[in-house]
Amino acid sequence: MPQDRIRLASLRDKIVSADEAASHIKDGMIVGMSGFTRAGEAKAVPMALAAHAKQAHAKGEPLKITLITGASLGNDLDKQMAEAHLLSRRIPFQSDPALRKAINSGEVMFVDQHLSETVEHLRTHQLGPIDVAVIEAVGITASGGIVPTTSVGNSATFAILAEKVIIEINLTQPSELEGLHDIYIPTRRPFREPIPVVTPESRVGLPFIPVPPEKIAAIVITEKLDSASNVLPPDHETAAIASHLMEFLKHEVKIGRLTERLQPLQAGIGTIANAVMHGFIESPFHDLTMYSEVLQDSTFDLFDAGKLNFASGSSITLSKGKHDQVMPHITDYKSRLILRPQEISNHPEIIRRLGIIGINTALEFDIYGNVNSTHVGGTHMMNGIGGSGDFARNAYLSVFVTKSIAKGGALSSVVPMVSHVDHTEHDVDILVTEVGLADLRELAPRERARVVIDNCVHPTFRDEMEDYFDRATARGGHTPHIIEEALAWHVRARETGSMHAKAERKIA
Amino acid sequence: MPQDRIRLASLRDKIVSADEAASHIKDGMIVGMSGFTRAGEAKAVPMALAAHAKQAHAKGEPLKITLITGASLGNDLDKQMAEAHLLSRRIPFQSDPALRKAINSGEVMFVDQHLSETVEHLRTHQLGPIDVAVIEAVGITASGGIVPTTSVGNSATFAILAEKVIIEINLTQPSELEGLHDIYIPTRRPFREPIPVVTPESRVGLPFIPVPPEKIAAIVITEKLDSASNVLPPDHETAAIASHLMEFLKHEVKIGRLTERLQPLQAGIGTIANAVMHGFIESPFHDLTMYSEVLQDSTFDLFDAGKLNFASGSSITLSKGKHDQVMPHITDYKSRLILRPQEISNHPEIIRRLGIIGINTALEFDIYGNVNSTHVGGTHMMNGIGGSGDFARNAYLSVFVTKSIAKGGALSSVVPMVSHVDHTEHDVDILVTEVGLADLRELAPRERARVVIDNCVHPTFRDEMEDYFDRATARGGHTPHIIEEALAWHVRARETGSMHAKAERKIA
Ligand SMILES: CC(C)(COP(=O)(O)OP(=O)(O)OC[C@H]1O[C@@H](n2cnc3c(N)ncnc32)[C@H](O)[C@@H]1OP(=O)(O)O)[C@@H](O)C(=O)NCCC(=O)NCCS
Ligand SMILES: CC(C)(COP(=O)(O)OP(=O)(O)OC[C@H]1O[C@@H](n2cnc3c(N)ncnc32)[C@H](O)[C@@H]1OP(=O)(O)O)[C@@H](O)C(=O)NCCC(=O)NCCS
């Protein structure tokens, strides 16, 4: 049975244990692993490697690596590797609490990178070289090509550039996934050609990752499932956010800027973005397409509701229930799906060409339209910028959504000045909270502040925000601020746990 | 003589005075004018319009417009229009002290936009419609096509989308400029094709702006010269900045990442960028190309030194001396030059494809690699982001240069936290001051701070910066900050005129 998945017979004797495969990875190496938003990650080798690190460290031997992936890993792998002190450097995204702790303590050097850019750095030798690539696969073709599973991520470039390739063939991943992927690698500069993707449906590459078979150093057989996504179901606030966005889009259609087919949609990771996409089910929009990064439950709900014609992404990340429903019938969806390398799903060239409507989640934003996606309190990393910047900068419409308050109302997610900027005022068009929607297009900062305060700030913070903006405006400037107070809400949050001024008074 | 410049004879009776042409522009209109970095702006009509505004306002009549240009205007036009209170809204860039004052006081609403994006907003009706376009031209072709002068900017899209077009034929602009321009407009979504530019030399469009002759409402004949650029000659510090960058690039060649031809170069506006480009004259690099926005004196010096093979830009902005030297011989350079719409010169698709080395000037940057290009003290607009974001985000190498101190040493241009972010840590590769160069690629924030402090901070600020970073690091976090002190240097500068702590003590 595992043998059937390896159509190039000469590779069949490469099958080894995960432990043996992991021993190709030595201290100081740069390792590229498959995996994107908890989908399609190599599972057995990283786990074995974490064990090796523990053993080595117990003996006083060093074992630390630079780990590059597509994006976040499932199966608690980042946790296990962080807790084994295996990681010295981690690129370009993560979303694990234990790894986050190691990053924030300064143990792990985290390079928080636009997801479309990592492979450019590798290809131009600014990063790398990759010593070992570890790639989860459905199988290997007769020519030795690797067929990825539920994500493509950076796997193709890792495998192509690596000195050695380790393949994990996962028998629980349906072999029907073969044919879903479209592997296209941009041609080399100075003769790089236009990337021929002109619609979400464009197929421009190969259905497998081409690698010379002699580079394949080991094959491991696994049966571990992808982790289920941990998005929560829509709630009252996320429904309100979705509804504000639908009203806005309906209005854009009404005034002739968009048609009811809209333009290709992108939605970020997480609960809010998933809930917003659900909003399209009951909307008047139809014949939609997605050109996105991660395809979540909502993508399949939209297919089933007859709203969505086609979805292009770099990974499929589903809840347990949705997984059990979709995966056995993946052939029914296959003609309407493509998984691409994250360089292509997130490529500025294509995002700008297609005119994408990008919907991403902010941690916080400010009254002038600057968005923080990554840092709590200006200092502590949450997950990373991921693909949000690739989309926000080049989208036709760049939308950011968030609930207006966090931590039970102690924190406002709308602040006078964000404590860290991931998306500048120049890159943000629409802001939405459950309170309402602010359309910032073609507005100067003072005008943006007015619509943000009126439409997005939670009522419990509105008076304080009005007061700040009034006093700032009295001082003048294109972007009025009281510079010594601009971050005061974050200072208060740090000192008292709350951004409310009265909490500060209570302490004083 | 003016008649020769209008080859479509039926248009010759459209010639009117600037005053008469300007009367097409009424209160509340949206007007698009040619002009990019003080080159190729319409000159007579805006001046007449400013006079109209003064007359109207004296009579208590309203006359205010939204003015959209390519970028900054020469001939003090932004000053005259601002002082005439003609401008209610200004998009997307300016660099005039009088207009800046009106922006910072809140009189003029300034929309500070990526230069590649304005026409996308117009084309999709998010901005506009343009009532009147006013375009400087060398002449009009037999088919009614407009031949631009020393800049293309947004002129093509303005003319194509406007209800009415006013043309200023400038007799001092050599008619030999015809043939220099390459007007390409992306096709309409959802059928947008790849933009066929694959090298700086690619010619993909028309040498004129096609407009239906019946839209041409008036033609004005002028003879005013473009303003000379106001860049200063290289000095000791700018030479040091150039030299650090040359050393860095030589090292990149040595380790095989680049060849001595490098990759297409882009250089920002102003003295420092111009001086850095001069640095290439004495360098070992050769057969260089530019894919840039504004071509300054240094472009022609590089041609004359035999270092540069080809330059693509959106405008030519020269000092008086260089202008007098180059313009009479423009035919000698013509085969090595293209002027494109700013959408194309700055297009993310092409910048990423060509792998540009982008060199732009920062107002200030911080120890973690965030760059402020626009706001003094976090509040007051200087010029705008211009094209720097278009290039920095998508470049192969994104370099920012600045002198380490400003205002006679009172201000440090390297700060703990920038007071405004235009280019995020994710978009900045290399920082250079006269002190040295910091290579931030693939580094985590704590590592970046180390190289910035060691290499870029002026000695008079280094101890204070070390102290800040040490205390911040003790608090932890991926990006360590003492959040209540992060903007303290700016607060001090505002209160005492100096960022030095001792100035604060002196006041206290
Ligand atoms: C911003 C982001 C963290 C939000 O995640 P989410 O799961 O949708 O939103 P939640 O509201 O559940 O917030 C996540 C956490 O942030 C906290 N949070 C939310 N707003 C906050 C704020 N203003 N200040 C501090 N913490 C905040 C929440 O309390 C929650 O904390 P917990 O995990 O301790 O409960 C997430 O979308 C992200 O990492 N984005 C960056 C990457 C990206 O956008 N990729 C898109 C392309 S795929
Ligand atoms: C950043 C920018 C203003 C620098 O301009 P420049 O002419 O090269 O540099 P200068 O050193 O002469 O500085 C310009 C002014 O800023 C001031 N300045 C410089 N650093 C400063 C700082 N850290 N804090 C406050 N003011 C500062 C200078 O003192 C000078 O002021 P002055 O005009 O009152 O004398 C300019 O490059 C710009 O507008 N950039 C944004 C647009 C852009 O990058 N376009 C590039 C694509 S073409």
Side-chain angles (χ1 to χ4, degrees), chain B residues 233-469:
Chain B
D235 61 22
H236 185 71
E237 274 95 27
T238 58
I241 292 172
S243 150
H244 297 313
L245 188 59
M246 295 307 135
E247 285 311 309
F248 165 78
L249 291 171
K250 279 190 246 174
H251 184 254
E252 292 290 297
V253 171
K254 199 167 147 200
I255 62 177
R257 287 192 187 137
L258 290 169
T259 71
E260 283 186 348
R261 297 193 57 177
L262 301 177
Q263 292 184 189
L265 301 167
Q266 175 262 340
I269 52 167
T271 300
I272 305 180
N274 189 54
V276 168
M277 291 306 288
H278 266 115
F280 284 102
I281 294 178
E282 300 295 325
S283 78
F285 309 114
H286 54 82
D287 296 298
L288 300 171
T289 59
M290 290 184 77
Y291 195 85
S292 196
E293 200 184 83
V294 48
L295 306 178
Q296 304 194 76
D297 287 14
S298 49
T299 300
F300 294 88
D301 294 331
L302 285 165
F303 276 138
D304 295 347
K307 285 288 184 186
L308 185 66
N309 288 354
F310 200 90
S312 164
S314 192
S315 76
I316 299 176
T317 305
L318 301 176
S319 67
K320 174 84 177 68
K322 204 75 205 167
H323 178 273
D324 293 350
Q325 203 181 317
V326 164
M327 279 301 161
H329 304 283
I330 190 71
T331 40
D332 299 345
Y333 294 100
K334 227 166 104 178
S335 64
R336 290 171 284 166
L337 283 175
I338 290 184
L339 294 186
R340 306 180 190 274
Q342 70 197 67
E343 177 180 22
I344 304 299
S345 62
N346 289 27
H347 204 289
E349 172 171 341
I350 302 165
I351 293 167
R352 178 85 167 240
R353 180 179 301 149
L354 299 184
I356 283 172
I357 299 177
I359 305 164
N360 290 287
T361 309
L363 209 51
E364 63 177 8
F365 57 77
D366 69 28
I367 53 174
Y368 297 116
N370 300 287
V371 171
N372 174 8
S373 293
T374 57
H375 283 69
V376 174
T379 55
H380 281 63
M381 175 54 56
M382 175 66 76
N383 300 328
I385 191 170
S388 56
D390 289 320
F391 286 95
R393 167 64 63 88
N394 293 300
Y396 159 75
L397 260 188
S398 165
V399 180
F400 281 91
V401 296
T402 184
K403 295 185 183 183
S404 70
I405 49 175
K407 304 295 173 202
L411 306 184
S412 177
S413 294
V414 191
V415 291
M417 179 188 264
V418 288
S419 57
H420 184 89
V421 178
D422 294 293
H423 311 287
T424 75
E425 48 151 342
H426 315 281
D427 292 333
V428 177
D429 297 316
I430 308 289
L431 294 171
V432 199
T433 69
E434 79 288 357
V435 178
L437 179 145
D439 180 354
L440 309 185
R441 292 174 299 172
E442 322 306 333
L443 298 183
R446 288 166 187 239
E447 298 169 307
R448 286 183 223 147
R450 197 62 270 148
V451 297
V452 170
I453 296 172
D454 290 346
N455 295 291
C456 297
V457 178
H458 192 270
T460 57
F461 285 98
R462 199 172 292 154
D463 290 348
E464 288 168 61
M465 193 72 91
E466 283 280 7
D467 176 56
Y468 178 84
F469 180 56

Side-chain angles (χ1 to χ4, degrees), chain A residues 89 104 112 114 116 121 125-126 189 257 352 375 389 393 422 425-427 441-442 447 477 479, chain B residues 89 104 112 114 116 121 125-126 189 257 352 375 389 393 420 422 426-427 441-442 447 477 479:
Chain A
R89 190 171 293 274
N104 285 320
D112 177 18
H114 297 300
S116 78
H121 296 204
H125 311 294
Q126 299 180 85
R189 295 188 190 114
R257 287 191 187 138
R352 177 85 167 241
H375 282 68
R393 168 64 64 88
D422 293 293
E425 48 152 341
H426 314 282
D427 293 333
R441 292 175 299 171
E442 321 307 333
E447 298 170 305
T479 303
Chain B
R89 190 172 293 275
N104 285 320
D112 178 17
H114 297 301
S116 78
H121 296 204
H125 311 295
Q126 300 180 85
R189 295 188 191 113
R257 287 192 187 137
R352 178 85 167 240
H375 283 69
R393 167 64 63 88
H420 184 89
D422 294 293
H426 315 281
D427 292 333
R441 292 174 299 172
E442 322 306 333
E447 298 169 307
T479 303

Side-chain angles (χ1 to χ4, degrees), chain A residues 51 75 90 109 125 198 201 243 277 306 322 335 378 414 437 477:
Chain A
N75 281 296
R90 184 75 178 83
M109 295 292 105
H125 311 294
V198 293
E201 295 88 342
S243 149
M277 291 307 288
K322 204 75 206 166
S335 65
V414 191
L437 180 146

Side-chain angles (χ1 to χ4, degrees), chain B residues 85-108:
Chain B
H85 306 287
L86 168 67
L87 306 175
S88 61
R89 190 172 293 275
R90 183 77 177 82
I91 305 172
F93 188 78
Q94 58 78 41
S95 66
D96 181 84
L99 176 52
R100 191 180 288 156
K101 212 169 137 200
I103 288 167
N104 285 320
S105 74
E107 180 191 335
V108 177

